[in-house]
Amino acid sequence: MPSLTRSLIVMLVVAWSSTAGGTATIVGVGDLPGGAYESLVNGVSDDGGVVFGNSNVAAPKSQAFQWTEEFGIEGLGVDPEGTSAVAASSYGHYVAVTSLTPLWEWFIYTAPLGLERIADGDVVGISADASVTASNDTRGALRWTAATGAVLLDVYGSDSGTRALGISADGEFIVGSSYDALGGTIGHAVRWNAAGVPEDLGDLPGGTVNA
C-alpha cells in the first residue's frame, strides 16, 4: 500500500495552474495504459505548457510521455528496453528522451517526426532551442550539436573521468563533475564552455576535495 500511495501522490502533484484570481490548482497528469498505475514526472518546459517523464506500461515496462492541457498524457514512441523523457526545449517542441537500455542511446521527440535516434549515451539536458545537448557515455561528458555530433569534454587537470549534469538555456555552458581515477573519491565541480574547456568551481572548506 505505501508504494501505491506514493505513486498516486507523484502522479497528482505534478502540474499546477493559476486561475485569473491567482488561485493555484493541482492537475492530474494521468497514466499510460498497461502495467502498474504509476507515472513519474522529470520536469516541465520553461513556459509550463509541457510536462514530461515516464510511465509504467506492460511492455517494455517504462515509456516516455509528455502531457499538455490540450491533449493530456501521450506516449513518445516505444523502445524495446523502455524510455524516459528527461528534458525539453523552452516551449516543449523538442523533448529529449533516454533509452533505458544498458547500451545507452538517446532521442529527440517532435510532434511532426516522432522519436528520432540522435546518438549513443545518456542525455541529461537540452538548450532552450534544442540546438545543444549535454549527455554522457562510457567515455565521459559530451556536448552535442547537429554540426559537430557528440564531442567529448575535457577533464580538469590530471583527473581521469567526467560526468555532465546540466546545461544552460543558451547552450553555452555545461555543468558537471570531473573526478580522479580512484572511483571518483576526489571530485571537482566544473563548468565547461562551448569549446569543452572545464573551469573548476571550487570547494567549500573542510573535508576532502569533493564538489
Side-chain angles (χ1 to χ4, degrees):
M1 182 62 70
S3 61
L4 175 59
T5 303
R6 183 171 61 253
S7 299
L8 291 175
I9 291 174
V10 170
M11 288 179 56
L12 291 173
V13 187
V14 289
W16 293 77
S17 62
S18 297
T19 63
T23 302
T25 58
I26 300 175
V27 180
V29 165
D31 181 67
L32 294 176
Y37 196 73
E38 181 179 32
S39 295
L40 302 176
V41 169
N42 293 324
V44 62
S45 61
D46 290 345
D47 67 348
V50 179
V51 175
F52 53 86
N54 56 282
S55 180
N56 194 307
V57 293
K61 297 184 180 180
S62 178
Q63 184 178 0
F65 74 80
Q66 68 176 13
W67 176 94
T68 61
E69 189 172 7
E70 181 178 4
F71 296 108
I73 189 169
E74 301 175 285
L76 303 184
V78 177
D79 182 82
E81 298 294 334
T83 54
S84 180
V86 299
S89 59
S90 281
Y91 299 104
H93 297 150
Y94 300 87
V95 179
V97 175
T98 284
S99 170
L100 303 181
T101 172
L103 299 177
W104 281 1
E105 56 183 347
W106 62 273
F107 310 81
I108 291 292
Y109 175 88
T110 60
L113 299 176
L115 207 59
E116 293 184 279
R117 186 187 184 281
I118 302 299
D120 292 335
D122 175 25
V123 63
V124 296
I126 188 172
S127 63
D129 64 358
S131 64
V132 187
T133 63
S135 64
N136 301 284
D137 69 8
T138 55
R139 298 171 295 164
L142 302 164
R143 183 179 191 271
W144 178 93
T145 68
T148 64
V151 177
L152 187 65
L153 303 177
D154 292 340
V155 298
Y156 175 76
S158 60
D159 288 345
S160 62
T162 56
R163 180 160 182 81
L165 297 173
I167 189 171
S168 60
D170 62 2
E172 182 71 16
F173 297 102
I174 292 174
V175 294
S177 60
S178 180
Y179 51 86
D180 66 7
L182 302 176
T185 56
I186 297 179
H188 301 92
V190 295
R191 181 181 76 167
W192 289 277
N193 61 21
V197 178
E199 173 189 1
D200 184 14
L201 301 182
D203 183 68
L204 294 175
T208 60
V209 178
N210 196 351

